[in-house]
Amino acid sequence: MDKHRIRFLPLDITYLAQDGENLLDFAMDVGVHINASCGGNGTCKRCKVRLVEGRVDFCQDQALSVSGHGEDIVLACQTRIKGDAVFEIPLESQIDRSALKSRKSPNILSAPDSLASLGGISPDPVAYKINITLEPPGIDNNMADSERLIRVLKNSHNMGDVKINLNILKRLPSLLRNSGWDVTLTIAETDMGLEITDVQVGNTPKKQYALAIDIGTTTVCGQIIDLWDCSKTGSRVIGESADYNAQISYGDDVITRIMHTRKKGGLKRLQEAVVKTINLIIDELTDKAGIERSFISHMVCAGNTTMTHLLLGVEPRYIMISPYTPAFVFPPVIKGGDIGIKGLDNTPLYLFPCVSSYVGGDIVAGVISSGMAKEGDISLFIDIGTNGEIVLGNKDWLMCASCSAGPAFEGGGISHGMRAAKGAIEQVRINKKTYEPMILTIGHSKPLGICGSGLIDSIAEMLSAGIITENGRFNRELPTDRVREGKDGYEYVLCYGKETQTGRDICLTEIDIDNIMRAKAAMFAGCKVLLDSAGLYFNELKRVIIAGGFGHFLDPSKAQIIGLLPELPLERFVFIGNSSLMGASLFALSREYASEAERVARMMTNIELTNNNRFMEEFMAAMFLPHTDLRLFSKTLGVR
Ligand code: FES
């Protein structure tokens, strides 16, 4: 793709931009400050820059953007780069060179492409299809249908003991005769051993698909995988879909859901709600891909321990009561019909094993997809969500913990917090001289609230600009109207009401900052306790793998400034997105990963942090920006 030279004045710095790149996004990426307070929506008109020379395209009617002063003034957020160009940033967006030092490293990795497409892995699933032709019975050979079938499997396919369940037996006589004794069997490894889970008329082994589903507390995501052919698309994943978990109506977090199961019919309601969501996702996946459900040979689900209990309709109550004992960690293999999955009554459904009440199958799936349990080098896996889960180790040993970080990184408990959705402020830069913000929202929509990455950016930027102090309190003497006393105490105004969707100012208060500090302190303290238990220092980590929804927008350099992530070179941070879904897909694709799931779950030693004195000490030490032990962040403090 064409690259263009973009020069910014008066900084007089030049960067290479992709053809068609949005100018405001580009400026944000390279660390050039342009005031922007509507998130790139085109309404605040604060992102004006002068086009000195060069070629650009406009996203909207530039009559709106051009100031009418006879100059080539454009709105950066409404401008696409189409050639080499020179832009002058007006005085009100003054030089902020310091931002350059802390801009994102281009070396930050995403999940490897081969894993993303799953194209590099040869399918060897736990359920497979075999076409067989049987000799029709005669008067001198009237062996029972099921025995006839098993004998062929034994003699021609070298299979030992294969079970046939009642559902199949009921359909078997007519299927065999209607097919002219030419059928395709689906044979799956289940708790019964090898089991025939489907019999289809004719030769259908080339039509085999699997479903991988990540059951999150908030969202459920699914993928449909073609197990036979990836030649057309280059990817085995032929469809993806996601929806909010319908359980959300019964509470945002796992504790509220568990509380709901104590009400009459509560457990059944929650089970039906998540199954309803899964059914909708399967409908969408199969409809879009034009696939009949009967060709789905198996399903794999990964979820946290509570979600796994609720899916199976198993009492989760003791997960939240000391000593925090789940009913099981190794779930049985069930059939779709056991829980109400439509049209897949006899299709096996595999669930990822869990480790403890608060380290579930989603984390085991994440560890598998990250590859850390196959390497000699030591990695730290972090899933930042309502419950921050962390795993430390390598191919020989793994330790894990869950630190109740609270919902702050998902916007919970923050006055204008929201999940990472359209209109959420996800990136923030603050000019250190004028204290004016530059913000970007998801979808360039008018700001609606702030999501996790926006919160981390905001606090790091406020700290770097001296708007807040190391203990999270506002500097009340600054010459800016953006720091003011609101109804909840002092606050910083990120967007004024005329720029937002709600018409209300979007602010960050000291209470919000305190909530984020608690969340980051819990995460960091959890990591520190695990490393101390293993006798390791942070600089001995080869990789820090960050999983979860907001990983892609999280700027690790900002997360280091507030003390959420350890001080390590940026190239050691790897973002792998929804690693739970990726792990489920790997399990669905290959029995090697299916057995790896069990090996990893058995190998993970859970360190309980609740009522752990060491954790409390580390938590208190981390309740500072970035930390009370400044030696842990000496380089970060130098850059800031
Ligand atoms: Fe461009 Fe608001 S008009 S950021």
Side-chain angles (χ1 to χ4, degrees), residues 413-435:
I414 305 293
S415 28
H416 293 92
M418 65 180 283
R419 295 196 181 99
K422 210 170 166 195
I425 297 170
E426 60 172 353
Q427 284 180 277
V428 177
R429 299 290 178 269
I430 295 174
N431 189 298
K432 286 180 180 170
K433 289 182 180 156
T434 62
Y435 309 109

Side-chain angles (χ1 to χ4, degrees), residues 22-58:
N22 178 290
L23 180 59
L24 187 68
D25 289 0
F26 176 66
M28 178 72 92
D29 273 353
V30 297
V32 171
H33 186 96
I34 298 172
N35 285 348
S37 44
C38 71
N41 179 249
T43 49
C44 73
K45 310 280 187 282
R46 297 175 61 81
C47 62
K48 286 172 190 162
V49 293
R50 191 166 76 87
L51 176 63
V52 179
E53 61 181 62
R55 209 183 127 217
V56 293
D57 262 4
F58 304 121

Side-chain angles (χ1 to χ4, degrees), residues 489-537:
Y490 272 84
E491 60 190 18
Y492 175 81
V493 187
L494 268 174
C495 314
Y496 288 109
K498 59 182 186 305
E499 298 150 358
T500 68
Q501 282 192 41
T502 58
R504 289 195 301 274
D505 296 350
I506 295 180
C507 310
L508 273 171
T509 66
E510 280 183 353
I511 299 168
D512 297 335
I513 295 166
D514 197 57
N515 282 335
I516 290 289
M517 283 173 69
R518 283 176 186 285
K520 76 95 189 172
M523 289 297 308
F524 190 83
C527 295
K528 186 83 174 33
V529 170
L530 276 198
L531 267 95
D532 285 352
S533 309
L536 291 169
Y537 294 104

Side-chain angles (χ1 to χ4, degrees), residues 28-277:
M28 178 72 92
D29 273 353
V30 297
V32 171
H33 186 96
I34 298 172
N35 285 348
S37 44
C38 71
N41 179 249
T43 49
C44 73
K45 310 280 187 282
R46 297 175 61 81
C47 62
K48 286 172 190 162
V49 293
R50 191 166 76 87
L51 176 63
V52 179
E53 61 181 62
R55 209 183 127 217
V56 293
D57 262 4
F58 304 121
C59 313
Q60 283 189 358
D61 177 7
Q62 268 295 307
L64 284 174
S65 323
V66 177
S67 67
H69 295 145
E71 293 178 288
D72 287 329
I73 302 290
V74 296
L75 297 182
C77 72
Q78 301 302 313
T79 299
R80 287 199 188 286
I81 296 162
K82 294 306 284 182
D84 293 353
V86 180
F87 295 98
E88 184 181 325
I89 303 169
L91 264 185
E92 57 266 29
S93 289
Q94 289 174 12
I95 303 168
D96 189 10
R97 284 188 187 277
S98 60
L100 299 176
K101 292 188 208 157
S102 56
R103 71 192 161 93
K104 276 187 193 173
S105 159
N107 295 326
I108 291 168
L109 305 173
S110 292
D113 285 345
S114 59
L115 276 185
S117 67
L118 306 180
I121 297 167
S122 302
D124 176 25
V126 285
Y128 45 95
K129 293 175 90 169
I130 299 177
N131 177 243
I132 59 168
T133 306
L134 303 172
E135 202 180 309
I139 197 66
D140 52 349
N141 174 10
N142 61 354
M143 180 186 284
D145 292 347
S146 63
E147 299 312 305
R148 182 177 303 272
L149 197 134
I150 284 168
R151 192 177 61 173
V152 171
L153 289 176
K154 218 174 238 168
N155 295 343
S156 308
H157 296 273
N158 213 15
M159 283 189 190
D161 196 16
V162 182
K163 303 279 190 311
I164 305 184
N165 67 42
L166 183 60
N167 288 333
I168 299 293
L169 277 182
K170 285 179 180 171
R171 293 162 51 214
L172 193 61
S174 56
L175 272 170
L176 289 176
R177 285 158 185 83
N178 291 343
S179 67
W181 302 89
D182 174 21
V183 288
T184 297
L185 310 176
T186 303
I187 298 173
E189 294 168 17
T190 70
D191 293 344
M192 288 172 69
L194 283 181
E195 181 186 350
I196 297 172
T197 54
D198 196 18
V199 181
Q200 292 173 351
V201 171
N203 190 340
T204 65
K206 290 190 180 177
K207 290 185 176 175
Q208 190 188 354
Y209 305 91
L211 290 170
I213 298 169
D214 160 48
I215 305 173
T217 311
T218 308
T219 45
V220 179
C221 308
Q223 287 185 333
I224 186 160
I225 298 155
D226 189 333
L227 291 165
W228 182 261
D229 182 18
C230 68
S231 57
K232 280 184 230 124
T233 56
S235 170
R236 296 208 174 272
V237 178
I238 55 169
E240 268 191 359
S241 176
D243 204 344
Y244 281 111
N245 186 336
Q247 291 179 347
I248 236 168
S249 328
Y250 305 101
D252 274 350
D253 52 59
V254 292
I255 298 299
T256 330
R257 307 262 173 96
I258 295 173
M259 299 290 282
H260 186 80
T261 63
R262 302 174 83 158
K263 296 186 179 158
K264 191 162 181 276
L267 179 57
K268 188 159 178 281
R269 262 195 304 281
L270 288 175
Q271 186 190 29
E272 286 171 354
V274 70
V275 169
K276 183 174 141 206
T277 308

